[in-house]
Amino acid sequence: MSHPDCRLNLRPLGTPRGVSSVVGPHGVGASPGDKKAKSKSVRGKKKSIFETYMSKEDVSEGLKRGTLIQGVLRINPKKFHEAFIPSPDGDRDIFIDGVVARNRALNGDLVVVKLLPEEQWKVIKPESNDKETEGTDELDLPKELCGSHLPQQSVKGYNDSPDVIIEAQFDDSDSEDGHGNTQNVLVDGVQKLSVCVHDKGKEDADAPITKDESTSMSQDTRVLSEKSLQRSAKVVYILDKKHSRAATGFLKLLADKNSELFRKYALFSPSDHRVPRIYVPLKDCPQDFVTRPKDYANTLFICRIVDWKEDSNFALGHLAKSLGQAGEIEPETEGILTEYGVDFSDFSSEVLDCLPQGLPWTIPPEEFSKRRDLRKDCIFTIDPSTARDLDDALSCKPLADGNFEVGVHIADVSYFVPEGSPLDKVAAERATSVYLVQKVVPMLPRLLCEELCSLHPMTDKLTFSVIWTLTPEGKILGEWFGRTIIRSCTKLSYEHAQSMIESLTKKIPEKELPPISPEHTSEEVHQAVLNLHGIAKELRKQRFVDGALRLDQLKLAFTLDHETGLPQGCHIYEYRDSNKLVEEFMLLANMAVAHKTYRAFPERALLRRHPPPQTKMLNDLMEFCDQMGLPMDFSSAGALNKSLTKTFGDDKYSLARKEVLTNMCSRPMQMALYFCSGTLRDQAQFRHYALNVPLYTHFTSPIRRFADVLVHRLLAATLGYRELPDLEPDALQKQADHCNDRRMASKRVQELSTGLFFAILVKESGPLESEAMVLGVLNQAFDVLVLRYGVQKRVYCNALPLRSHHFQRVGKKPELTLVWEPEDLEQEPVQQVVTIFSLVEVVLRAETSALKYSAILKRPDPEGLPGPRNEEEA
């Protein structure tokens, strides 16, 4: 489902090359039943719109010879005639122009393309901005890169004592990954860097594409240098239909009442314009739909594409179900989950039969002889206060020589998930729990993830532990891996741990702490937290000295009304020392397990790599920083991290500018990926760019990530607890690929859930005001990062009460001068200069359509203008 913002954004498109017919927002060609269209048919056979796919044999031959290229298709959600696949050499994306060239492939599909002749490549005009050349929407950052750090500030005017605080629980126990959220939680359309101006009309995402902007080359453009051409291609085969082929949207009657089609089909119009319009049989539709279509104008339906023939602009589909009213939380949420292929059905009885039956369950006596018994140790969990799936616990025992025995204890999920069982199969298929704002769709049945596996306090639990001997500086003197039994003494929230870190000497009153088991004291827990914090600070300092990178991004948390479930307010989630403490030890455990399993099984280890940034986008960013006079070093992850931390002061303007730059730096970043070590020959490719380490994996969250369950099984085999899982490297790689796909889908669903709740908040409680910083200037609009909410929006000049606006370049910097219509006739018009890094005041306000909101600029105070022309004056 596209972001609520861009999904009702219908507009006409230019007819794709090779098709001369009427164009609708979802597809090309004449509407069904159009007489002209019928007359075009050749001897009773309809003219094909799309090319026939190549044969499998020709495709694999072409890929081997290098005449064909494969890649994941990304369709621009704001300009859905534009699609891209990444270039295999990391250079500029390959452009796929129009619905016809896309040949029925959908967003996310793995496609094979053939390059077009050079004279049909896209011309990038010298003044044009790469906004048009890179398909950077829905970028996915590894969690290791992300976080959130701006001070919490609740929305003014909200109830001070909310009913429920939903902490940004998303993947919040994803400690080793930095607890961050993905970049740009709420992205307005495409995430792109606006450095320069487009040609006239191009900056408006809703402008019709006119003839003179045609992307094919005319004769006289051949003299252009290589740099100003973008390789363009057409889809010749779909290797893997990764898109779920499901969409949410609305039902309409066909336009031509006299056509044969009208008697058989209705038209389904998807909310996500990247999906074609779909014919659905009337027998799938509500009985009174044909007689009372208006009754269903605001009803959301789910439709699945069944077929899409070569001679039709529209796909054929099956209406799966009616969700309810558009704009309401549950129907919209179910739509998002369905579109991204998230299985939220109840677990089947054969899956539930795999769970322990005699409840309450207790640990079988024979497990005590196979495990190290740590039940007397002071072990505790630190999680968001609302978390129920507690994967990880910590311990820290001072040793006589001044060192510490530090343990990371992870729920032993693989004990409860027998390999090859129906439970194993459904967990492998789901691959990850999905965290929505209001609930979690779990990977495992709740009995496991919230009870038997979850490390609740004061109950015996089965765990897999990594225990180190560490110096106070975090130097590893020894390490041990093994199966254990623990009994957590208390469940701390991040707030509890934070208050312990901040109270170095003062005892925290019992009433401010959760219950602690009688065998241990609050002082003992407090001291353990302080010792862990001390070591974590050293580990973290060393990681950044060694060249790690962190791109902290703003992340929203909502307060929800107890009864209605509607958002009452939101704030930026604050990432504090208690989060960092947990993160450091999770990273340490994941790295230790990666080395241990890889040494034992160099062909069969399941690892996680993070490729370096995309070259072309990184070069563009370097050029931009150069133009803006920003001293940024992009030579390595560590150099970039130093630039981001050293370039900025801590005044409000500097912090906002750092936020914008962090946002820009996240765009060239690639996704981190699970892989099997036996399928990659070059060990240099194993590296994790952001962490700047040679080997990394995921071990610490098996309750909610299937990759970790696989890693647990490998570690158990490494330690001789079991046989090596019967998986060849290729089969393990297949599972890794599936985990990557599901992780990416779950991340997108999470963003859309946040987007949904924020749009509802604007509708229910708006308009909302905030400071924003400009991150791109076009000739009739500019993009801003709204600082209070972390959302990115475009502000259009034609939506403001301006007398005029004027675009110019000062040096290489784009600048927009706005002349405001005075409110009082006696006054002079106020001029406001908008340039990159300008601080402005914006208002977010709901629009009439269900979940759409826009940003407008707040009328400036005449006293404070004109704004800084450049940042030296700021």
Side-chain angles (χ1 to χ4, degrees), residues 546-790:
D546 293 343
L549 164 68
R550 187 173 181 89
L551 294 174
D552 281 326
Q553 301 249 14
L554 302 174
K555 175 174 165 181
L556 271 182
F558 293 87
T559 52
L560 303 184
D561 183 288
H562 238 351
E563 286 171 13
T564 63
L566 290 171
Q568 290 178 317
C570 67
H571 58 270
I572 295 291
Y573 183 72
E574 197 180 351
Y575 189 74
R576 295 154 75 178
D577 284 342
S578 54
N579 302 78
K580 292 174 187 172
L581 178 162
V582 176
E583 180 191 353
E584 286 311 314
F585 291 107
M586 299 303 129
L587 286 169
L588 201 62
N590 285 332
M591 289 187 278
V593 171
H595 283 274
K596 184 80 175 166
T597 53
Y598 180 62
R599 272 199 305 271
F601 305 118
E603 295 288 306
R604 305 275 186 94
L606 181 67
L607 302 172
R608 186 163 172 81
R609 65 192 178 92
H610 182 212
Q614 294 168 9
T615 329
K616 172 72 186 72
M617 291 177 77
L618 195 66
N619 292 340
D620 290 346
L621 185 58
M622 282 158 70
E623 200 180 317
F624 166 78
C625 290
D626 221 33
Q627 286 174 14
M628 298 304 292
L630 291 166
M632 300 287 286
D633 180 352
F634 290 95
S635 59
S636 68
L640 177 54
N641 199 75
K642 281 198 183 75
S643 300
L644 282 169
T645 42
K646 285 188 176 160
T647 307
F648 303 99
D650 53 9
D651 59 290
K652 184 175 73 170
Y653 180 80
S654 301
L655 285 173
R657 200 172 59 163
K658 180 182 179 183
E659 209 54 68
V660 165
L661 256 173
T662 300
N663 187 292
M664 291 173 176
C665 290
S666 66
R667 291 173 191 166
M669 296 302 161
Q670 304 211 56
M671 211 185 133
L673 298 164
Y674 298 115
F675 71 102
C676 170
S677 55
T679 59
L680 260 190
R681 287 284 151 249
D682 178 7
Q683 216 184 317
Q685 292 189 316
F686 288 20
R687 286 195 72 81
H688 195 294
Y689 172 80
L691 295 173
N692 197 28
V693 295
L695 295 175
Y696 189 65
T697 194
H698 273 168
F699 162 77
T700 53
S701 292
I703 291 178
R704 58 187 187 77
R705 286 191 307 231
F706 193 72
D708 303 51
V709 176
L710 294 170
V711 169
H712 276 231
R713 288 173 182 164
L714 279 165
L715 182 60
T718 304
L719 301 171
Y721 288 122
R722 54 160 291 161
E723 294 293 301
L724 183 61
D726 182 24
L727 274 180
E728 289 304 311
D730 285 347
L732 187 56
Q733 182 58 45
K734 229 179 158 141
Q735 287 211 291
D737 290 339
H738 181 66
C739 288
N740 291 331
D741 290 344
R742 295 322 304 158
R743 187 174 173 85
M744 198 163 157
S746 101
K747 214 162 191 183
R748 192 71 193 118
V749 163
Q750 213 170 291
E751 289 171 0
L752 290 167
S753 175
T754 303
L756 169 67
F757 274 78
F758 189 70
I760 289 173
L761 183 70
V762 175
K763 186 172 131 203
E764 297 289 322
S765 313
L768 306 178
E769 294 185 8
S770 169
E771 273 195 308
M773 186 166 261
V774 176
L775 41 71
V777 178
L778 310 167
N779 59 1
Q780 302 191 48
F782 52 95
D783 291 328
V784 294
L785 180 67
V786 183
L787 296 166
R788 180 181 274 178
Y789 308 113

Side-chain angles (χ1 to χ4, degrees), residues 31 39 47 102 119 143 181 194 210 230 254 265 306 319 354 418 466 507 653 728 788 840:
S31 55
S39 68
K47 190 169 180 290
R102 207 153 68 219
E119 62 272 15
K143 298 288 281 297
N181 200 10
S194 309
T210 54
Q230 180 171 17
L254 294 181
Y265 294 103
V306 178
L319 204 61
C354 301
V466 186
K507 182 179 186 300
Y653 180 80
E728 289 304 311
R788 180 181 274 178
V840 294

Side-chain angles (χ1 to χ4, degrees), residues 1 244 246 248 302 304 323 329-345 433-436 438-441 742 745-746 748-750 752-753:
M1 182 161 187
S244 66
T248 57
I302 287 180
R304 289 187 187 279
L323 292 172
I329 289 172
E330 286 316 312
E332 294 281 354
T333 297
E334 191 176 326
I336 292 169
L337 292 169
T338 307
E339 285 192 14
Y340 282 85
V342 175
D343 178 1
F344 55 93
S345 62
S433 293
V434 179
Y435 289 78
L436 304 164
Q438 78 279 34
K439 61 184 173 189
V440 182
V441 178
R742 295 322 304 158
S746 101
R748 192 71 193 118
V749 163
Q750 213 170 291
L752 290 167
S753 175

Side-chain angles (χ1 to χ4, degrees), residues 184 186-188 192 663 667 775 784-785 790-793:
N184 302 338
L186 309 175
V187 181
D188 182 19
K192 287 174 179 171
N663 187 292
R667 291 173 191 166
L775 41 71
V784 294
L785 180 67
V791 302
Q792 201 175 305
K793 293 294 288 180

Side-chain angles (χ1 to χ4, degrees), residues 444-465:
L444 295 166
R446 293 197 187 274
L447 176 68
L448 286 188
C449 60
E450 293 180 8
E451 293 179 49
L452 302 185
C453 296
S454 191
L455 306 180
H456 294 303
M458 295 172 251
T459 47
D460 296 355
K461 295 287 175 181
L462 299 177
T463 41
F464 219 143
S465 301

Side-chain angles (χ1 to χ4, degrees), residues 208-224:
I209 305 304
T210 54
K211 188 85 180 105
D212 58 71
E213 286 168 17
S214 160
T215 47
S216 62
M217 291 175 63
S218 59
Q219 292 303 312
D220 58 355
T221 51
R222 302 243 178 106
V223 293
L224 286 166

Side-chain angles (χ1 to χ4, degrees), residues 365-382:
E366 65 268 20
E367 283 303 314
F368 289 89
S369 56
K370 297 180 191 168
R371 295 171 181 262
R372 189 191 271 198
D373 188 347
L374 303 176
R375 288 176 297 167
K376 289 192 165 62
D377 290 17
C378 176
I379 296 176
F380 46 86
T381 57
I382 304 175

